[in-house]
Each structure stands twice: as C-alpha cells, then as structure tokens.
Amino acid sequence: MPSPTSSVPATEPLTVMGAGLVGSLLSLYLARRGHPVEVFERRADPRRAGFQEGRSINLALSDRGWRALEGVGVADDIRQVGIPMTGRVMHDVHGNLTHQPYGVADQAIYSVNRGHLNRRLLDLAEAQPNVRLHFSQQCLSIDLKQQELHLLDTATKQEHTASYTRLFGTDGAFSAVRSALQKTDRYDYSQDYLEYGYKELTIAAGPNGSWAIEKNALHIWPRGQYLMIALPNLDGSFNCTLFFPYEGPESFAALQTPADVTAFFTRVFPDAVPLMPALEEEFFAHPTGSLVTIRCFPWKFNDDVLLLGDASHAIVPFYGQGMNAGFEDCSVLNELLDQHGDAAWPTIFAEFQQQRKPNTDAMADLAVYNFVEMRDRVADPRFLLQKKIEARISAQYPGRWTPLYSQVTFSHTPYAEAWSAGQHQDAIMARLMPHIQSEADFDQPDVQTLVQQEMSKKP
Amino acid sequence: MPSPTSSVPATEPLTVMGAGLVGSLLSLYLARRGHPVEVFERRADPRRAGFQEGRSINLALSDRGWRALEGVGVADDIRQVGIPMTGRVMHDVHGNLTHQPYGVADQAIYSVNRGHLNRRLLDLAEAQPNVRLHFSQQCLSIDLKQQELHLLDTATKQEHTASYTRLFGTDGAFSAVRSALQKTDRYDYSQDYLEYGYKELTIAAGPNGSWAIEKNALHIWPRGQYLMIALPNLDGSFNCTLFFPYEGPESFAALQTPADVTAFFTRVFPDAVPLMPALEEEFFAHPTGSLVTIRCFPWKFNDDVLLLGDASHAIVPFYGQGMNAGFEDCSVLNELLDQHGDAAWPTIFAEFQQQRKPNTDAMADLAVYNFVEMRDRVADPRFLLQKKIEARISAQYPGRWTPLYSQVTFSHTPYAEAWSAGQHQDAIMARLMPHIQSEADFDQPDVQTLVQQEMSKKP
C-alpha cells in the first residue's frame, strides 16, 4: 500500500531491523518516499506505560542531526523540548568555573531526551499509512541466502520467520544483522573497548524546577585520567555521567562502599556533591556501562542488506556525534535515492558504504581524541588560550579557518575532511603558540606576521 | 580414570573443543599430565576412509613446533615424514633461479603433511587411557554461565548438552568458543582480511617419484604484487599456492576461463607451467581461500575457558608460523603447569594470556611483513645482498646478531622480542647498505669501521 504522496510506485516492502533513533528516522524517510516499510524491534513499544529506558537519558543534538530531522519536518517540534548548550563550563577541584564557548554567537548543541526523541519519531513513523511497526521481535538469526529473518516474539514466546527483499540493519552496536554479515567470507570487523566504564548519576533540580548550575551549558569536571559531565534536563535536573577507569587506584574497582563513593566525590567533585542527594544510591543501583568502538566492512551484503548507524559504526560518546552520525546516514541515503532513483538499490548501497565508511572511521578516531581533550586538556589554561587564539584567527580570516570542533559540530563537512583540516590546523597552532603568552599577544606585530605566513601557505 | 603416569590425581575431566593440530597436541599434553580429557571435534574422524582434507596440504614445521612435539615424544616420528627445506629458491620470469639459505649449516624448516600430522597426534591422544575423542560434534552454542556446550551430532542429527568445568577452545580461526566469548562485555575482537586470496595447485612428480625441481627448498615465484610458492611432498610432487589479488588487472576476477589461466601462467610462471599438467582443472575445481588475521582479548573467561591456537590468534601464512605458534601455546601452557601445579588454573590462565598475547600480536604483524618480503623484496638483488651481509655480520659477531628470520624460525625467543630486535637490526642495515655494493665490500676497512661502530651501540 504505497503512500498517497509516493513518487515511485513501490512494489515490495522494505524491512528495517531496529526501531531506535536511527531505525525510526530511516523508516520515516523511506515511507515518505512511498516505500512500504516493515519495522521489527527487539524491545517492547517504548510509548507504552512501564517501559524502562535502557540507555543514557540525554543526547547532544547538533547540526548534522538537525538537518536529518529537518528532512522529515520534525526539527522544530524537537527543538522545543531541547535545551541549547552554547559552551562548556569546566569545574575545577575547588569549584571554580571556566567558560569556553562552543562556537560563535548563538551556535549551540542541544540537550535532548533520548526517550522523547525516539517516541516522537515512532509516532511519526506509525502515522504513515505504509509503515508497520512490530515490537518485541528478537532476531535470533538471519538466513542471508534465503533472505529470511528468524524471529522470536518475546511477548508470546512464539518463533516465526519473515522474508525480506531489502533489509536495513539499524539494530545498534550489538546488531543481529551485522552478526550475520560477520560470518560471511572476507568480512572485516572489530570491536574495541576502552578501559573506562561510565556511570549515570543525577544533579537534582533546584527549588521550583530551577537549575542549580548554569542551564545552557555542558558541564565538565575534568580530572586528567577521568571526568564527569552533566547535561541539563527540562525539569531542572542534570543527567551526570562519570567516565572512570575500571581498574586502578581511582577506579570503579576502588569504590566498593557508599562511604568510599562519598569520600571520593567530596574530594574530587566538591561542588557537585551537595547537588547530588541520591549519589550513593544511584552509584550502586545503576549499571556500569562499557565504551566500545565498532568498525566493519562491507556494510552491505549483495544488494539485499545494508547497515546504518551504530550497527556499522558505533563510537564512544565524547564528541556527542553517535546519534548525529547515524542521523546523517539517513540524510546521505536519502540524497542517494534522490540522485539515483528509488529502484537503484545496488548502486545506492555501494555508493553509500563507499562514501560513508571513511567519514565514520574518522569520526571514531575523533571521538577517542576528544576523550583526552575533555578529561585532561580542557583543564589546561594553555589549551584554553589556544582555543581563544583559534577563535581570533577564525574571525580574522572568515571562511578560511574553522576550528575542528565547529567543523564536526556546526557544519556538514564530511568527517574525514574535518579531521584532516583539523590536524593541519593543530600543526599550525603548535608552531604559533610558543610565541603567545596571552590573548593580547595575538595583536603583536611579530605574531601577526607569523599568522599571515601560516595562512598564506594554508590550502 | 587418571593415567598410570599421573603426577596429580585428577578429579574432573578437562574439555577440549577442536581436535585439529593444536587441539590434539594439547589433549596429549594434558592427558600425559594425568588429566582425564574429553575432546569434541566438529569434523568426522580424519583417520577414517573417505575423509576429505579441508585445509592446505603442507605446513612448514620449525623449531617452536618441534620443541612442542618433543615435549610429548613425537618429534622423531614426524621428522621421518618431513622434508627439510634449507632455503628459498626464487624463480624469475625467465625461469632463472636464485638461492637464499634460511639459516646456517643444516638449519631447515620441514615440509610436513597436515593430514598425516593430525592423524598421528590423534592416534597418540587416543592411545592415552584418559582421553576420549568425540567426532562429528558441532558446537551450536555455549552457555558460559551454566558451563554447558550445546552440541549437534552431525552423524545422528541429534542435539545434546555437555557440561564442562574447564574448557579449552582449540577450534580454529572460526572458533565457536571464541564466538561465545565475543558476546561478553568488554571483549576486544577483530577479524581483518587481506585483499588477497589463495589457490592450491600441484607440480606433478617427476619420473619414478623424483622431484622435478629442487627437493630441499621452498620455491618462490615472486612477482611484486603477487606470488606463488611450492613445498615438496614425499611422493615427488609439490604443493603450490598462488597468493593473488581478488580484484584488479592481474587477479582472480580477471582469470575467468581455462585459456585465461594458461595464458597468464605461461607469461608469468613459464618454468612452472610444464610441470603443472592439472593447472586448468585444479584452478577451477579448487576453492579460493581467504586470508584472515584474528586478534582478541581476553583469551580466558573467568577461570573456566581458555583459547589457544588459531582460535585466539589466527595469522596469515607468510612466515610459516601459524601452526608453530599454536604448538608453542601448548609448550608454554605445559611450562606454566610445571611451575604452578596442575590445580592452579586461575593463575595459569591469567599468566598464559598475559605472557602470550604480546607475542602472538607481534607474530601477526611479522606474518603480514613477510608477505611483502616474499612477493616483492626477495626478487631484489639489493635485498639478497643485504641478507648476505647480515649473515656475515652474524658470523663475525657470534651471539650478538641473529637475523630476524632465524630468531622467529630457529629460536625460542619470544616473538615480540624477536620483532623488536629485528626492527633494530633493520635500522642498522638501512644505515650500512648505502656503503655496500657487493659482498666483498663488507671487508673494506671503512665498512668494517661502520659495522664496529654500530655493533658497539647495539644492546
């Protein structure tokens, strides 16, 4: 049953495995193009009462994500429930604060509730007459030759089989679709864990739903080998995440009792502890999450199966780009459909993985790079001075110098290009900074001469 | 039922999954120490009539492998059916030959038939009263918590369950045991394929079972981007392997017809073609094999499961060390049992992976490095001159310079140490070689001075 707005008369339904953020957005894109879409999701319907969130509560939406949401007309709706964060606020061990803007003027990333976003996208997908959502469908195995899914309905405990002609694997970092691909010949695959885990904690709302610390910022407690961050919620609370070694003198292994936890937090996060009344309880009640980078190739199997989102490129969360990269997958796929037409799947699958793989590989590297920046470098005054000097160069040479963070977060420059340009700019900064002791030094004639020399050589 | 020679009264049987080369040797080691051993193997018994070999026919046994075989007293027996290869013979496009010795005096690697070696080890294992072999047992899944194997008897088509207390995964590059570990949290894993495949071909025996090309050598046809090798068999034939790109102008994809194959081989391997009467038939009848490197960590799960051999460190075949590294795993495990006693499994599993992982990682790198050497560098006169100069340095400074190949092949130096020393020596050779145009130059006073300077700085 093609949609009334269909541009191409669709014949066979497309199958989407996984109705998380990327799967629900992809389904919406495909349905809007006129394709009938069958969606299978392992979990129960998150819009039903009693559903337990399994993943982190906040996400940072930035330009790539917004563009993908705009493509299906849902951006404005989501923006109303997002909180703009215009910069980082660093908290030192004495509770002193340092601000660092993310970009220029009103550039911001948005703290958005994962559950809300997912439910909204599911509502929109379900409102399409050509989308059918099937929840509580665990994929037990896939017969790639027969093009069949072997599913378990976890509600009824019945196993059943579903055929597909075109399967989109948007079932996340532990994708069942990718598991099937991994067993095919010449399949490159890696899963690589950091020696760090994470724990989600809460800063409580202030009186009358006020925010106890600055609302429009991402808060960071950088401590060299570890860090805590906090993102604002609409109700005045903040969702905190502690990124912390599994083992060692300061680690999850070292904090065994509520007294250990309070003593440690009081010592290293003294300004946060009074705002965290449930600290001890949450620390032991919440699971310790692990941090994985997943790479694989190819992303397609024949012309029948394509992976998108975390299924093909799960990354660590330190650049806030995991969801944004997955959403950008949907934009890119949609552009390829525009370009080649809705029947040209073999071309589209091949071009998609060819174009996208180097970019998500770069993003995976950037995410690990930013871990070091967030836990260590942002506490260094020299680093913060360098960021200010970069902003000055950027202002002085419009369009010729975009800081790496801005390219990743506030542009649609392919990640690999952004990373390459960023490395080049880093090398320039390494040559300039020995000549600069304060922001005022930037205006010194000798520094200006050096900057001009560097800019004249810059591509 | 402990063996009469048992040093430790064993209580619970040990379980070995996989009765290939490493699994059968490990079972023998464990049984000789007095442990009851249950062995499960996916394939049928290879000693039965009609069994089809699934893997390459020849292997190159070298010192690490021999030591492991000596440890269970089977080395002499195997040596009788091995053919020593004392060096490489390179064949150029005109059929001209160049010799390069592998080591000094009678140092050699041995061409051994895989099937024979496996069958012999199975015979020895089965002769132990405390070993029970179970063939045609496909491992469908493993419940790591319950410590249960879910098996399919492929002969009777019956599924059944077997408990284990201690499980050794020696089930190869596509290990079912490792598959179970891979799904546990924080499990690092990668499978990485070369863009090359391989094809097994045959040089026929000469008249009366004679060898048509030099018997006691490993033959190489190096061609830059690809190569063919040949290892001798006892019946006068040679087992050839073509390592060849999957795609490109000279590739498997480019050879589609018997005429294509003969034309290509005649052009690039002209001296081999007359010796390969079944070339066209074999080329299309034999499968194209793929070449994978597998890395993972940890190799153990709790104190219950340990991976050995290709299951934990499958490598590409270009250094001839895959089986040798797996056999060395058995030697190392046996040493740890000697050191800590047969009940100290938690300590032994932990030390085994800690000690062994850096070494097999180094071996994986070395195997890829040797691919470039074999397909490209051995055709370069400068490279062969460098090998001769290295041999001269090694002779002049006994015990202070061992060529990398010799350290890997003819020593028990841990692979990581060998690789590190080899890289250091490579750097020295890169400084010396610009001063050397012929082997005689090595005796020139200025060259000798340089060599003495380098050796005085060498650790």
Side-chain angles (χ1 to χ4, degrees):
Chain A
M1 41 177 175
S3 131
T5 61
S6 167
S7 58
V8 171
T11 50
E12 297 161 306
L14 303 174
T15 302
V16 174
M17 177 66 70
L21 294 170
V22 175
S24 52
L25 180 63
L26 176 68
S27 301
L28 198 46
Y29 264 102
L30 296 172
R32 291 274 174 88
R33 300 189 70 90
H35 297 280
V37 185
E38 299 282 323
V39 187
F40 297 95
E41 166 57 44
R42 186 175 52 81
R43 298 167 307 168
D45 189 337
R47 298 165 302 176
R48 287 196 170 178
F51 183 83
Q52 291 282 323
E53 299 285 351
R55 299 284 298 282
S56 70
I57 295 162
N58 300 92
L59 296 162
L61 247 172
S62 56
D63 287 30
R64 294 168 205 267
W66 286 120
R67 186 168 76 164
L69 293 175
E70 281 157 11
V72 285
V74 67
D76 290 341
D77 175 270
I78 299 295
R79 214 179 297 263
Q80 287 168 23
V81 292
I83 300 178
M85 301 180 287
T86 56
R88 296 167 173 163
V89 172
M90 271 72 72
H91 298 237
D92 78 9
V93 282
H94 307 295
N96 300 316
L97 307 184
T98 313
H99 289 68
Q100 186 212 330
Y102 275 132
V104 294
D106 60 349
Q107 281 184 328
I109 60 177
Y110 285 73
S111 176
V112 172
N113 180 279
R114 171 191 284 271
H116 176 86
L117 181 54
N118 201 161
R119 291 189 295 271
R120 187 75 190 100
L121 290 171
L122 286 172
D123 283 342
L124 288 165
E126 199 167 50
Q128 295 288 316
N130 48 346
V131 169
R132 293 205 307 177
L133 300 176
H134 309 273
F135 290 99
S136 305
Q137 302 295 317
Q138 184 185 352
C139 181
L140 300 175
S141 64
I142 300 177
D143 186 330
L144 293 170
K145 277 190 189 154
Q146 298 296 318
Q147 298 182 213
E148 280 180 355
L149 307 174
H150 184 201
L151 299 161
L152 169 69
D153 185 317
T154 55
T156 64
K157 309 289 178 202
Q158 297 293 305
E159 294 187 14
H160 62 111
T161 296
S163 299
Y164 63 85
T165 48
R166 216 74 66 180
L167 174 65
F168 297 86
T170 53
D171 50 347
F174 303 100
S175 169
V177 179
R178 189 194 61 232
S179 267
L181 265 58
Q182 193 199 315
K183 296 186 189 88
T184 61
D185 192 27
R186 298 174 63 199
Y187 198 80
D188 286 337
Y189 173 73
S190 73
Q191 57 187 45
D192 187 21
Y193 284 85
L194 293 187
E195 312 242 313
Y196 285 76
Y198 70 90
K199 183 77 75 176
E200 298 202 315
L201 303 165
T202 310
I203 285 181
N208 306 314
S210 63
W211 288 268
I213 53 178
E214 184 179 328
K215 174 189 177 188
N216 292 113
L218 189 149
H219 294 263
I220 308 185
W221 289 257
R223 295 295 180 264
Q225 289 306 302
Y226 56 93
L227 82 158
M228 185 166 73
I229 64 170
L231 279 77
N233 296 315
L234 287 175
D235 67 359
S237 68
F238 286 78
N239 183 232
C240 303
T241 312
L242 171 69
F243 297 98
F244 204 41
Y246 279 102
E247 307 285 340
E250 293 185 316
S251 71
F252 284 113
L255 303 185
Q256 291 295 323
T257 67
D260 291 345
V261 170
T262 296
F264 174 75
F265 272 68
T266 302
R267 179 163 60 83
V268 299
F269 307 127
D271 62 334
V273 171
L275 311 175
M276 303 173 80
L279 172 62
E280 291 184 356
E281 183 195 332
E282 288 183 334
F283 194 90
F284 293 100
H286 292 179
T288 303
S290 54
L291 297 161
V292 70
T293 300
I294 285 176
R295 298 177 200 254
C296 62
F297 202 79
W299 291 357
K300 73 183 188 73
F301 179 78
N302 295 339
D303 304 323
D304 319 324
V305 181
L306 185 69
L307 303 176
L308 298 95
D310 283 359
S312 44
H313 52 74
I315 60 179
V316 295
F318 304 104
Y319 227 115
Q321 285 294 312
M323 169 188 59
N324 288 290
F327 280 6
E328 195 177 51
D329 285 351
C330 298
S331 307
V332 168
L333 190 76
N334 193 53
E335 283 162 17
L336 289 170
L337 283 159
D338 283 345
Q339 189 181 337
H340 298 289
D342 284 67
W345 291 115
T347 305
I348 288 163
F349 281 17
E351 282 201 22
F352 179 80
Q353 67 174 11
Q354 208 63 35
Q355 183 185 137
R356 208 62 193 131
K357 168 72 173 164
N359 289 319
T360 58
D361 276 349
M363 192 56 246
D365 291 341
L366 280 163
V368 173
Y369 164 94
N370 221 42
F371 181 33
V372 181
E373 177 161 322
M374 289 178 77
R375 72 172 201 242
D376 199 356
R377 299 184 72 203
V378 293
D380 176 359
R382 289 288 299 170
F383 173 79
L384 296 173
L385 175 61
Q386 178 174 323
K387 290 277 179 184
K388 284 180 186 163
I389 299 298
E390 264 203 86
R392 295 288 301 273
I393 299 175
S394 185
Q396 187 170 332
Y397 295 91
R400 297 215 38 225
W401 185 294
T402 309
L404 175 57
Y405 186 87
S406 297
Q407 290 194 49
V408 170
T409 307
F410 304 125
S411 91
H412 303 290
T413 305
Y415 288 126
E417 281 177 42
W419 189 205
S420 165
Q423 287 172 308
H424 190 77
Q425 291 175 176
D426 259 3
I428 294 175
M429 293 311 294
R431 291 191 292 269
L432 289 180
M433 288 303 291
H435 306 275
I436 296 173
Q437 303 311 320
S438 71
E439 194 177 346
D441 284 351
F442 183 69
D443 300 312
Q444 297 289 336
D446 58 328
V447 170
Q448 278 293 313
T449 303
L450 283 173
V451 171
Q452 280 163 35
Q453 283 171 357
E454 291 287 356
M455 290 307 290
S456 71
K457 289 180 288 182
K458 191 171 186 283
Chain B
M1 44 178 173
S3 131
T5 61
S6 169
S7 56
V8 171
T11 50
E12 298 161 307
L14 304 174
T15 302
V16 174
M17 176 66 70
L21 294 170
V22 175
S24 51
L25 181 62
L26 176 68
S27 301
L28 199 47
Y29 264 101
L30 296 173
R32 292 272 175 90
R33 298 190 72 90
H35 297 279
V37 185
E38 298 283 321
V39 187
F40 296 95
E41 165 58 43
R42 186 176 53 80
R43 298 167 308 167
D45 190 337
R47 298 165 301 177
R48 284 195 172 179
F51 184 83
Q52 291 282 322
E53 298 285 353
R55 300 283 301 281
S56 70
I57 295 162
N58 301 92
L59 296 162
L61 247 172
S62 55
D63 286 29
R64 294 169 204 266
W66 286 120
R67 188 169 72 164
L69 293 175
E70 281 158 11
V72 284
V74 65
D76 290 341
D77 175 89
I78 299 295
R79 214 178 297 263
Q80 286 167 24
V81 292
I83 300 177
M85 301 181 288
T86 56
R88 296 167 171 163
V89 172
M90 272 71 74
H91 297 237
D92 77 8
V93 283
H94 307 295
N96 299 317
L97 307 184
T98 313
H99 289 68
Q100 185 212 328
Y102 274 131
V104 294
D106 60 349
Q107 282 184 327
I109 60 177
Y110 285 74
S111 176
V112 172
N113 180 281
R114 171 193 284 272
H116 175 87
L117 182 53
N118 202 162
R119 291 190 295 271
R120 187 75 190 100
L121 290 171
L122 286 172
D123 282 343
L124 288 165
E126 199 167 50
Q128 295 287 317
N130 49 345
V131 169
R132 293 206 307 176
L133 301 176
H134 309 273
F135 290 98
S136 305
Q137 301 295 316
Q138 185 185 350
C139 181
L140 300 176
S141 65
I142 299 177
D143 185 331
L144 294 171
K145 276 189 190 154
Q146 298 295 320
Q147 299 182 212
E148 280 180 355
L149 308 174
H150 184 199
L151 299 160
L152 170 68
D153 185 316
T154 56
T156 65
K157 310 290 178 201
Q158 297 293 307
E159 294 187 14
H160 61 110
T161 297
S163 300
Y164 63 85
T165 47
R166 217 73 69 181
L167 173 65
F168 297 85
T170 53
D171 49 347
F174 303 99
S175 169
V177 179
R178 189 194 62 233
S179 266
L181 266 58
Q182 194 200 314
K183 295 186 190 88
T184 61
D185 193 26
R186 298 174 64 199
Y187 198 81
D188 286 336
Y189 173 73
S190 73
Q191 57 187 45
D192 186 22
Y193 284 85
L194 292 188
E195 313 241 313
Y196 285 74
Y198 70 89
K199 183 77 77 176
E200 297 202 315
L201 303 165
T202 309
I203 285 180
N208 306 316
S210 62
W211 288 267
I213 52 177
E214 185 180 328
K215 174 188 176 188
N216 292 111
L218 188 149
H219 294 264
I220 308 185
W221 288 258
R223 296 294 180 266
Q225 289 306 303
Y226 55 93
L227 82 157
M228 185 167 73
I229 64 170
L231 278 78
N233 296 315
L234 286 174
D235 67 359
S237 68
F238 286 79
N239 184 232
C240 303
T241 311
L242 172 69
F243 297 98
F244 204 41
Y246 279 103
E247 307 286 340
E250 292 185 316
S251 71
F252 284 113
L255 302 185
Q256 289 296 322
T257 67
D260 290 345
V261 169
T262 296
F264 174 75
F265 272 69
T266 302
R267 178 163 61 82
V268 300
F269 306 126
D271 62 333
V273 172
L275 311 176
M276 303 173 80
L279 171 61
E280 291 185 357
E281 183 195 332
E282 288 183 334
F283 195 91
F284 293 100
H286 293 180
T288 302
S290 54
L291 297 160
V292 71
T293 300
I294 284 176
R295 298 177 199 254
C296 62
F297 203 78
W299 290 357
K300 73 183 191 74
F301 179 78
N302 295 340
D303 303 324
D304 319 324
V305 182
L306 185 69
L307 303 176
L308 298 95
D310 283 0
S312 44
H313 52 74
I315 60 179
V316 294
F318 304 104
Y319 227 116
Q321 285 295 311
M323 169 188 60
N324 288 290
F327 280 6
E328 195 176 50
D329 284 352
C330 298
S331 307
V332 168
L333 190 76
N334 193 53
E335 282 162 17
L336 290 169
L337 284 159
D338 284 344
Q339 189 181 338
H340 298 289
D342 283 66
W345 291 115
T347 305
I348 288 164
F349 280 18
E351 282 202 20
F352 179 79
Q353 67 174 11
Q354 210 63 35
Q355 182 184 138
R356 208 61 192 133
K357 168 73 172 165
N359 289 319
T360 58
D361 275 350
M363 192 56 245
D365 291 341
L366 281 163
V368 173
Y369 163 95
N370 221 42
F371 181 33
V372 180
E373 176 162 323
M374 288 177 78
R375 72 172 199 242
D376 200 355
R377 298 184 73 203
V378 293
D380 177 357
R382 289 289 297 170
F383 173 79
L384 295 173
L385 175 61
Q386 178 174 324
K387 290 278 180 184
K388 284 181 186 163
I389 300 297
E390 265 203 87
R392 294 288 301 274
I393 299 175
S394 184
Q396 187 171 333
Y397 295 90
R400 298 218 35 226
W401 185 294
T402 308
L404 175 57
Y405 186 88
S406 297
Q407 290 194 49
V408 169
T409 307
F410 303 124
S411 92
H412 303 290
T413 304
Y415 289 126
E417 282 178 40
W419 190 203
S420 166
Q423 287 171 310
H424 190 78
Q425 290 174 178
D426 259 2
I428 294 175
M429 293 311 293
R431 291 191 291 269
L432 289 180
M433 287 305 289
H435 306 275
I436 295 174
Q437 302 311 318
S438 70
E439 193 177 346
D441 283 352
F442 183 70
D443 300 313
Q444 295 289 334
D446 58 329
V447 171
Q448 278 292 314
T449 303
L450 283 173
V451 171
Q452 280 163 33
Q453 284 171 358
E454 291 287 357
M455 291 305 291
S456 70
K457 290 180 288 182
K458 192 172 186 285

